[in-house]
Amino acid sequence: MGAAYILDAVRSPRGRGKAGKGALSGVHPQEVLAQALNRLAAKSGVDPAAIDDVVMGCVSQVGEQGANIARNAVLAADWPIEVTGVTLNRFCGSGLQAINFAAMGVAAGWQQAVVAGGVESMSRVPMMSDGAGADGENLRLRAKHYQVPQGISADLIATLEGFSREDVDEFAVTSQQRAAQAQENCHFSNSLFPVIDPATGETVLEKDEHARPGTTLEGLAELDAVFAEYGSKPIGPNGESLDQIALERYPEAKEINHVHTAGNSSGIVDGAAAVLVASEEFAQAHGVKPRARIKTVATYGSEPLIMLTAPTPASKKALEQSGMSVDDIDLWEINEAFGAIPLQTMRNLGIDHDKVNVNGGAIALGHPLGATGAMLLGTAVDELERADLNTALVTLCIGGGQGVATILERV
């Protein structure tokens, strides 16, 4: 097997994912992704004609995000028609999985250069727009594996781990503080590009707009637990509530402590990211210095009702494959889908919070589902260089009970 290198990475700012209110809500998602492609080509200096494939993650593949948005973004970017595109869905891990698939093709020697990443316009194509629910409305599957909403799964994890409302709120405040400091100190500027309105040429967004730097513990304490009322509704096949269904599977919890709110969970946003993955031979031939090497990638499946616990085993698997330990990792990006997820992963693996999400995470910046994994990887590469560190591990929890992890080594 050969090696797969990160030559460069770019991302759009994250726009608030509210129709008519977020700055990116007026731009078609194909166009946002197309701008990411063109910014990556310009930044890296690589001719798009040299790209073997474009692999993009996108979760809600309907409407404006349907019809293979990767291929349509290639066309919207005016790249050569010979450049192919494919769109994948591994829920919240889609953007990182796209990069991992690109790395596999390059490492196998079948491809020399692949652009990978993701896109999600949650203002224009809201979550669950495909109408499939959690299980594709397959009642036979539902009888085997009932999948409750992710927020209830996150609250169940918090209950089993003993994380209080104060614990997750404190984590959220730290995320906001770190994101504010990162923005103030321009830690995102290397990868960030301004999105323009393709119709007018005017810039519509230059920086992430979801963050709330003035967030306080007192303010978060006033927010309602989002899934408390929903969890009590009689929605199961025999009139059980969602909480009851979860407790039937995890009776040791006794009662679910609903701790997650809009303030300590990931924000709904729009955005796109693109990463150039290539072989060493390609980099040399095109005069581009690689920024990082992908050491290994891994996925792992977990029990689908609790569903969000797999970052721990996925990270362990990646570490074992690379002959590394937790202590060998200088920097961690653990997606902040809900506050309890990184808290659990840090506890399970014994990771110091000072190494985790040092520039904030999705609680502050937002979680554009299909793009987040690629954004986290780009942020990790930038931070390795800025802080003069060597290794990073990026991991995300995934709906349906999955985790994905990628280990990077700075070049």
Side-chain angles (χ1 to χ4, degrees):
M1 294 291 287
Y5 291 89
I6 303 296
L7 301 194
D8 224 327
V10 301
R11 73 168 178 90
S12 75
R14 296 168 173 92
R16 285 182 296 168
K18 294 185 177 181
K21 296 182 178 179
L24 297 185
S25 64
V27 184
H28 196 291
Q30 289 179 10
E31 300 292 343
V32 179
L33 182 53
Q35 290 180 39
L37 295 177
N38 282 329
R39 174 57 183 159
L40 181 65
K43 185 167 179 269
S44 66
V46 172
D47 186 342
I51 302 301
D52 290 311
D53 200 6
V54 172
V55 184
M56 288 291 155
C58 184
V59 175
S60 297
Q61 294 183 36
V62 294
E64 293 181 340
Q65 292 183 165
N68 190 359
I69 192 170
R71 172 59 174 171
N72 282 322
V74 166
L75 300 176
D78 295 320
W79 279 24
I81 61 172
E82 291 79 11
V83 179
T84 52
V86 62
T87 309
L88 65 89
N89 178 12
R90 200 190 283 274
F91 299 132
C92 299
S94 299
L96 189 60
Q97 185 62 61
I99 295 168
N100 292 352
F101 279 156
M104 293 175 194
V106 169
W110 295 333
Q111 297 170 311
Q112 290 299 305
V114 179
V115 171
V119 62
E120 204 80 35
S121 177
M122 301 179 77
S123 64
R124 299 172 70 105
V125 188
M127 286 188 293
M128 313 303 288
S129 291
D130 61 4
D135 54 19
E137 302 301 321
N138 182 350
L139 298 184
R140 286 176 56 82
L141 173 61
R142 191 173 300 173
K144 298 176 183 178
H145 296 290
Y146 200 104
Q147 299 176 53
V148 299
Q150 289 189 17
I152 293 176
S153 297
D155 286 338
L156 176 59
I157 291 169
T159 301
L160 294 172
E161 294 285 347
F163 297 141
S164 67
R165 171 69 178 269
E166 291 73 20
D167 291 332
V168 289
D169 279 353
E170 286 177 2
F171 184 88
V173 169
T174 299
S175 180
Q176 294 283 358
Q177 292 172 340
R178 291 179 175 182
Q181 185 176 16
Q183 286 186 316
E184 182 178 347
N185 294 323
C186 300
H187 290 182
F188 302 133
S189 60
N190 185 46
S191 295
L192 205 60
F193 68 88
V195 176
I196 65 169
D197 183 334
T200 66
E202 296 180 357
T203 298
V204 296
L205 188 62
E206 293 182 300
K207 70 174 188 176
D208 301 306
E209 67 173 350
H210 182 271
R212 296 175 175 83
T215 299
T216 64
L217 284 173
E218 293 75 17
L220 290 180
E222 296 177 0
L223 300 177
D224 292 333
V226 177
F227 292 93
E229 182 178 354
Y230 193 45
S232 66
K233 290 183 178 180
I235 200 170
N238 299 310
E240 314 100 312
S241 70
L242 290 170
D243 279 3
Q244 289 173 330
I245 292 170
L247 290 171
E248 287 175 6
R249 179 66 181 81
Y250 293 90
E252 62 270 32
K254 296 183 180 178
E255 181 180 1
I256 296 179
N257 181 22
H258 291 282
V259 300
H260 287 97
T261 70
N264 57 39
S265 305
S266 56
I268 294 173
V269 294
D270 305 334
V275 177
L276 178 55
V277 182
S279 66
E280 184 175 8
E281 294 77 14
F282 181 93
Q284 290 176 347
H286 290 79
V288 182
K289 183 181 183 300
R291 298 178 62 193
R293 180 171 72 93
I294 297 179
K295 282 183 67 70
T296 193
V297 305
T299 57
Y300 200 95
S302 62
E303 196 281 311
L305 186 146
I306 204 166
M307 96 173 56
L308 306 175
T309 59
T312 293
S315 298
K316 286 182 177 179
K317 185 177 179 181
L319 290 168
E320 290 170 0
Q321 288 174 178
S322 58
M324 301 175 74
S325 70
V326 170
D327 292 337
D328 293 324
I329 302 298
D330 298 322
L331 185 71
W332 295 74
E333 287 289 339
I334 305 172
N335 189 38
E336 298 173 0
F338 300 90
I341 309 310
L343 284 174
Q344 182 194 46
T345 308
M346 287 190 293
R347 172 184 284 180
N348 288 345
L349 297 176
I351 311 168
D352 192 319
H353 194 182
D354 289 342
K355 293 184 176 182
V356 177
N357 302 356
V358 298
N359 292 304
I363 289 174
L365 298 167
H367 178 21
L369 305 178
T372 302
M375 289 185 172
L376 295 184
L377 183 137
T379 297
V381 173
D382 285 343
E383 185 62 21
L384 287 178
E385 294 174 346
R386 188 195 69 81
D388 194 20
L389 300 173
N390 295 315
T391 57
L393 191 152
V394 182
T395 185
L396 300 92
C397 62
I398 300 171
Q402 299 182 87
V404 61
T406 302
I407 296 178
L408 305 171
E409 182 177 55
R410 180 181 163 211
V411 175

